């Protein structure tokens, strides 16, 4: 009998920033790295013979929890990749919900009929992932394996192995939490689900100690958020100046390479003002009545995407404009000075050793 621990990747940027990831590359969040350490503690005394992961960065990074601590090589397997969501990749869920509400609903609840340009169908993903897991199991008879994949792909596979159709997967097979662990067995002919979506390692005191009391609720699954567009129109300068003043700044608003407004449904909810210097955030503003709803971090997601596209690997900001608590919660740390104040920075590059 071959034993397989099937594990979803840790919290990644797309999960936090409400961006459709698919096969789009993204890194882990600070919470995601804490989940990796919790996973490492969980598997510290469990014998693992081999580790496989999707070749996407977020699964390879999560797999470090086991392959590095166990002294094993990592086998990259493209067959374990997440579903390719075509034209949706890199777009916010808020934008997708606004432009394609029926297709978005089908994506989460009626996998049998979801299809968009350039994407895999759920049936194709199921066939790919199931074949990959069976091939890995067949090549490792009698061993204990750790396989790292993605939320949607794992959901499809677990449902299928339990006789749940694509039509009913949305209703009867939930998505597991980030780093949720499922146990499969392979008897040489077929896979069987022993148990699924266990997250006990996220309930231990060492992990919970890092969860800040009062932290804004994380969005769940396909819950949409903001969508973005360039700030334009006759009132643009006035709105930007008002947000600048509310942030406690005096004088004129500095020049920017990009200014976006984030909208919740059709209502303006926030502004992002990026400096010409790559990675520098002049202003990330959320309307007072929209705060503490997990929306502010979505502005940061846009800054990450834009900065990476410009070749940058670091974000920077001054605390007076964003607030030290916000910066610290988003993974920034004080490093150096600018304009006579402490400058906070956050690395957003990919670790080449992973």
């Amino acid at each position: 009998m071959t034993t397989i621990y099937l594990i979803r990747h840790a919290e990644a940027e797309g999960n936090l920033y409400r961006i459709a990831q698919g096969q789009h590359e993204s890194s882990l969040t600070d919470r995601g790295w804490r989940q990796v350490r919790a996973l490492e503690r969980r598997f510290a005394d469990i014998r693992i013979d081999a580790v496989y992961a999707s070749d996407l960065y977020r699964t390879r990074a999560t797999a470090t929890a086991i392959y590095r601590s166990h002294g094993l090589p990592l086998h990259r397997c493209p067959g374990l990749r997440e579903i390719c969501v075509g034209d949706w990749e890199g777009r916010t869920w808020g934008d997708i919900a606004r432009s394609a509400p029926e297709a978005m609903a089908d994506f989460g609840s009626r996998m049998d009929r979801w299809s968009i340009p350039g994407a895999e169908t759920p049936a194709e993903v199921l066939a790919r992932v199931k074949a990959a897991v069976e091939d890995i199991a067949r090549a490792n008879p009698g061993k204990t394996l750790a396989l790292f994949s993605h939320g949607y792909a794992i959901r499809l596979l677990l449902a299928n192995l339990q006789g749940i159709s694509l039509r009913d997967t949305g209703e009867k097979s939930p998505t597991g939490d980030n780093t949720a662990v499922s146990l499969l067995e392979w008897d040489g002919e077929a896979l069987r689900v022993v148990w699924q979506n266990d997250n006990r390692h996220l309930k231990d005191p060492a992990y919970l100690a890092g969860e800040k009391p009062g932290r804004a609720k994380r969005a769940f699954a396909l819950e949409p958020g903001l969508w973005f567009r360039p700030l334009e129109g006759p009132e643009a300068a006035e709105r930007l100046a008002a947000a600048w003043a509310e942030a406690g700044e005096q004088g004129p608003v500095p020049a920017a390479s990009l200014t976006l407004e984030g909208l919740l449904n059709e209502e303006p909810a926030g502004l992002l003002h990026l400096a010409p210097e790559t990675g520098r955030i002049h202003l990330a503003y959320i309307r007072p009545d929209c705060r503490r709803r997990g929306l502010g971090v979505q502005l940061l997601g846009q800054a990450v995407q834009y900065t990476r596209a410009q070749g940058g690997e670091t974000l920077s900001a001054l605390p007076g404009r964003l607030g030290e608590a916000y910066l610290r919660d988003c993974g920034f740390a004080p490093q150096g000075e600018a304009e006579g104040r402490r400058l906070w920075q956050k690395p957003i590059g990919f670790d080449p050793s992973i």
Side-chain angles (χ1 to χ4, degrees), residues 88 91 93-109 114:
W88 288 6
R91 292 169 59 189
W93 287 115
D95 180 33
I96 295 166
R98 175 176 175 268
S99 61
E102 292 184 2
M104 183 166 170
D106 285 346
F107 185 71
S109 62
W114 183 80

Side-chain angles (χ1 to χ4, degrees), residues 106 109-114 122 166-168:
D106 285 346
S109 62
R110 283 295 303 271
M111 286 79 158
D112 58 310
R113 65 189 184 194
W114 183 80
L166 278 177
R167 177 189 174 88
D168 295 332

Side-chain angles (χ1 to χ4, degrees), residues 20-47:
Q21 295 179 111
Q23 297 183 5
H24 180 79
E25 284 287 32
S26 64
S27 188
L28 300 186
T29 66
D30 296 308
R31 173 184 273 181
W33 282 112
R34 288 193 298 103
Q35 292 171 345
V36 169
R37 293 191 290 272
L39 199 63
E40 181 177 354
R41 291 190 294 270
R42 175 173 181 164
F43 280 87
D45 298 321
I46 297 176
R47 182 179 66 86

Side-chain angles (χ1 to χ4, degrees), residues 13-232:
E13 292 170 336
N15 305 128
L16 177 60
Y17 301 150
R18 310 310 307 136
I19 293 171
Q21 295 179 111
Q23 297 183 5
H24 180 79
E25 284 287 32
S26 64
S27 188
L28 300 186
T29 66
D30 296 308
R31 173 184 273 181
W33 282 112
R34 288 193 298 103
Q35 292 171 345
V36 169
R37 293 191 290 272
L39 199 63
E40 181 177 354
R41 291 190 294 270
R42 175 173 181 164
F43 280 87
D45 298 321
I46 297 176
R47 182 179 66 86
I48 299 292
D49 297 306
V51 181
Y52 292 77
S54 148
D55 59 341
L56 297 177
Y57 185 86
R58 57 191 184 271
T59 38
R60 294 175 1 234
T62 308
T64 62
I66 296 180
Y67 81 83
R68 285 184 173 175
S69 61
H70 285 64
L72 296 169
L74 176 65
H75 302 281
R76 300 186 184 189
C77 179
L80 297 176
R81 278 187 171 203
E82 182 61 292
I83 183 172
C84 171
V85 291
D87 295 346
W88 288 6
E89 296 202 356
R91 292 169 59 189
T92 68
W93 287 115
D95 180 33
I96 295 166
R98 175 176 175 268
S99 61
E102 292 184 2
M104 183 166 170
D106 285 346
F107 185 71
S109 62
R110 283 295 303 271
M111 286 79 158
D112 58 310
R113 65 189 184 194
W114 183 80
S115 178
I116 64 167
E120 294 177 285
T121 66
E124 290 170 337
V125 177
L126 172 59
R128 166 172 60 77
V129 174
K130 188 173 184 180
V133 174
E134 289 178 344
D135 287 347
I136 292 168
R138 199 173 287 115
N140 293 276
K143 295 182 179 180
T144 298
L145 312 174
L147 274 58
F148 291 82
S149 189
H150 303 260
Y152 202 85
I154 291 174
R155 185 183 188 188
L156 293 172
L157 177 62
L158 293 176
N160 175 264
L161 296 180
Q162 295 173 94
I164 301 172
S165 68
L166 278 177
R167 177 189 174 88
D168 295 332
T169 293
E171 178 183 352
K172 298 180 179 180
S173 182
T175 301
D177 293 335
N178 291 111
T179 66
V181 181
S182 299
L183 184 66
L184 311 180
E185 289 182 341
W186 167 260
D187 62 6
E189 295 184 359
L191 292 165
R192 179 177 75 90
V193 178
V194 181
W195 43 259
Q196 68 184 65
N197 295 335
D198 183 272
N199 68 350
R200 71 187 72 173
H201 53 286
L202 301 183
K203 300 174 183 179
D204 72 60
Y207 174 76
L208 293 176
E211 293 290 279
K212 298 178 177 61
R215 170 183 266 170
K217 178 183 74 69
R218 292 287 210 251
F220 175 74
L222 300 181
E223 180 182 336
L226 300 177
W227 61 279
F228 293 87
R229 67 186 179 192
L231 180 64
E232 299 173 337

Side-chain angles (χ1 to χ4, degrees), residues 189-342:
E189 295 184 359
L191 292 165
R192 179 177 75 90
V193 178
V194 181
W195 43 259
Q196 68 184 65
N197 295 335
D198 183 272
N199 68 350
R200 71 187 72 173
H201 53 286
L202 301 183
K203 300 174 183 179
D204 72 60
Y207 174 76
L208 293 176
E211 293 290 279
K212 298 178 177 61
R215 170 183 266 170
K217 178 183 74 69
R218 292 287 210 251
F220 175 74
L222 300 181
E223 180 182 336
L226 300 177
W227 61 279
F228 293 87
R229 67 186 179 192
L231 180 64
E232 299 173 337
E235 298 179 357
E238 181 180 345
R239 289 173 53 201
L240 183 58
W244 183 252
E246 188 178 327
E249 297 294 334
Q250 298 179 350
V253 179
S257 58
L258 178 70
T259 303
L260 297 176
E261 65 173 337
L263 296 95
L264 189 61
N265 299 320
E266 299 300 319
E267 288 293 320
L271 296 172
L272 176 68
H273 194 58
L274 299 179
E277 177 186 349
T278 300
R280 175 70 66 86
I281 302 173
H282 274 325
L283 179 68
Y285 170 82
I286 288 291
R287 207 175 68 202
D289 61 321
C290 290
R291 293 172 187 170
R292 304 201 64 77
R293 295 169 59 182
L295 300 177
V297 75
Q298 296 175 39
L299 300 175
L300 183 64
Q302 296 302 299
V304 169
Q305 285 196 317
Y306 181 78
T307 299
R308 283 209 185 113
Q310 304 302 309
E313 296 188 346
T314 304
L315 293 182
S316 62
L318 296 174
R321 297 168 187 170
L322 282 78
E324 289 192 8
Y326 171 85
L327 291 171
R328 188 177 292 109
D329 197 41
C330 292
F332 286 76
Q335 294 183 12
E337 291 189 356
E339 302 177 28
R341 289 183 280 182
R342 285 199 304 175

